[in-house]
Amino acid sequence: MILFKKAGDINTWLMKSRKAGKNIGFVPTMGALHQGHISLVQASKKAGSISVCSIFVNPAQFNDSKDFDNYPSTLEKDIDALEKAGCDILFLPSVTEMYPGGTYNAKTYNLGYLETVLEGKYRPGHFQGVCLVVHRLLNIIPADDLYLGQKDYQQCMVIKKLVEVEKMNTTIHICPTLRESGGLAMSSRNMRLTAEEKKQALKIYETLSFIKNNIKPGNLNQLKQNAVNNLAVAGFKVDYVEIADAGNLEIINEWDGHTKPVAVAAAFLGDVRLIDNLLLDAGD
Ligand code: PAF
C-alpha cells in the first residue's frame, strides 16, 4: 500500500493511472476502521479498481466539539487492516492540507429538504461539512466509483445529491450495513461504549426490527411512539425514531402500503450518539 499525505502527490499519481486506463475506487473514512469499512475496500477491489482509502477526521462536519475531541483514533491498526485487505493507496492528509484556506468562507451546498430533517435537523451544519470534505476529496482523488455504507443512509443521499449538483463523474455504490452478532450496526463510535452499553445498544436494531415486523398500511404514529418508548425505557436519550420514504426521506405518518419505507433512528447512550436504519421492504 502506498501512503500519501499531500494532495498534489496523490492527485498526480492517480491522474497518471487514470490516463493508463485504470479505474479508481474510493472509500472515504474518518479512521477507527471496522469490518464495515473493510467491506467497502473489498467491494472496490472486487470491481477491479485501484482501491483508494482516505482517513481524515473532518472537523468541519462535527456540530459538537466534544464528539470531535472524543472521536476514536486507531491509526496503526487501521493501516494494518487496510494492508491486509489489499488496499492500494491510503490518503492521510492533515487539516491544513485539506483546507489550506481554512473553512471560514466555505462554499454552501444547496441540499434542500434533505438538510432539514432527521440528521440534518439534529446536527445543524453537519451535512455542509460532509459535502465540503467529500467535494474536496473528490477533487483530489479522481474516483470513478465511490463506496459508502448504508448505515449512514441520509449521508448517502446527501453525497448522491452533491455529486449530481457538482456534476461529478463518480458513481456511488451503497453497500450493506455490517452488524455485530446481535444486530448492532458496526460503527467507529461503538469503540466508545462499555461492554454493558454494547448490550444495551442492541435495542436500536431490535426497535427497528420491531417496526419492520409490525408496520401496516394506515396511521404509523402509535408504532413510532412505541419504538421511541422502547429505546427510552432501555436507557437511551432519543433524538428520533422515524419512518420515511426510502427514496426521498419524506416522513411517512400515513402509509399507503406501496411507498418503500425506511425506519431510521438516532439516540444517545451516555454521550455516544448512535444511528441506524432498516429498509422495511428488503431483507436487511
Ligand atoms: O462517513 C464518514 O466517515 C464521513 O462522514 C465521511 C464520508 C468520510 C466524510 O468525512
Side-chain angles (χ1 to χ4, degrees):
M1 183 167 73
I2 312 174
L3 194 158
F4 288 98
K5 291 192 170 181
K6 298 282 173 213
D9 294 346
I10 188 170
N11 182 263
T12 306
W13 199 96
L14 289 172
M15 288 309 271
K16 257 193 220 149
S17 312
R18 233 181 166 200
K19 277 202 190 104
K22 300 271 203 266
N23 201 73
I24 295 165
F26 176 38
V27 179
T29 82
M30 299 206 296
L33 302 184
H34 49 71
Q35 198 48 41
H37 295 114
I38 299 301
S39 73
L40 303 179
V41 173
Q42 285 164 342
S44 86
K45 285 197 65 78
K46 207 165 156 197
S49 301
I50 295 188
S51 58
V52 182
C53 177
S54 64
I55 296 181
F56 177 66
V57 185
N58 173 32
Q61 72 185 72
F62 285 83
N63 55 310
D64 173 357
S65 60
K66 268 199 282 167
D67 189 25
F68 176 66
D69 294 340
N70 292 327
Y71 202 81
S73 167
T74 56
L75 188 55
E76 271 179 41
K77 268 173 73 185
D78 294 353
I79 292 176
D80 197 43
L82 289 171
E83 289 267 18
K84 286 204 176 99
C87 179
D88 298 303
I89 312 276
L90 171 59
F91 183 42
L92 202 60
S94 65
V95 174
T96 41
E97 192 63 21
M98 284 302 286
Y99 301 124
T103 55
Y104 187 68
N105 276 324
K107 173 180 172 124
T108 305
Y109 297 87
N110 182 2
L111 302 172
Y113 170 77
L114 269 183
E115 207 181 2
T116 66
V117 281
L118 306 170
E119 291 303 279
K121 180 170 160 194
Y122 284 89
R123 300 188 66 188
H126 168 64
F127 286 132
Q128 289 297 326
V130 169
C131 285
L132 189 65
V133 78
V134 173
H135 193 188
R136 169 94 175 118
L137 284 167
L138 286 176
N139 281 333
I140 298 168
I141 297 165
D144 299 289
D145 297 285
L146 183 70
Y147 295 85
L148 301 169
Q150 191 202 305
K151 202 211 93 198
D152 297 297
Y153 193 90
Q154 193 170 1
Q155 170 171 277
C156 293
M157 293 182 73
V158 162
I159 294 176
K160 265 191 180 165
K161 177 138 192 172
L162 168 75
V163 164
E164 203 180 281
V165 170
E166 296 299 326
K167 299 186 175 59
M168 289 183 271
N169 274 330
T170 304
T171 306
I172 293 180
H173 302 265
I174 300 174
C175 302
T177 303
L178 260 60
R179 299 183 179 280
E180 317 264 4
S181 62
L184 176 62
M186 288 189 186
S187 162
S188 305
R189 288 188 173 84
N190 294 352
M191 289 179 197
R192 296 188 50 220
L193 300 174
T194 62
E196 194 50 42
E197 285 172 332
K198 265 197 152 185
K199 277 191 220 145
Q200 266 174 285
L202 297 178
K203 253 299 183 256
I204 297 194
Y205 181 64
E206 279 172 32
T207 299
L208 296 174
S209 303
F210 167 81
I211 293 177
K212 184 166 179 156
N213 296 333
N214 289 284
I215 189 167
K216 286 193 214 70
N219 190 283
L220 300 179
N221 291 340
Q222 191 58 51
L223 182 61
K224 291 184 197 179
Q225 195 52 53
N226 291 346
V228 170
N229 294 347
N230 271 350
L231 287 182
V233 166
F236 284 89
K237 185 177 133 329
V238 182
D239 271 355
Y240 60 80
V241 181
E242 270 300 350
I243 301 169
D245 182 330
N248 57 21
L249 281 189
E250 272 179 31
I251 304 299
I252 305 177
N253 292 319
E254 288 284 329
W255 186 40
D256 58 13
H258 301 294
T259 306
K260 289 187 177 172
V262 61
V264 286
F268 284 89
L269 257 188
D271 63 351
V272 182
R273 189 171 183 278
L274 300 172
I275 61 170
D276 197 358
N277 66 80
L278 210 51
L279 288 166
L280 300 181
D281 71 328
D284 71 355

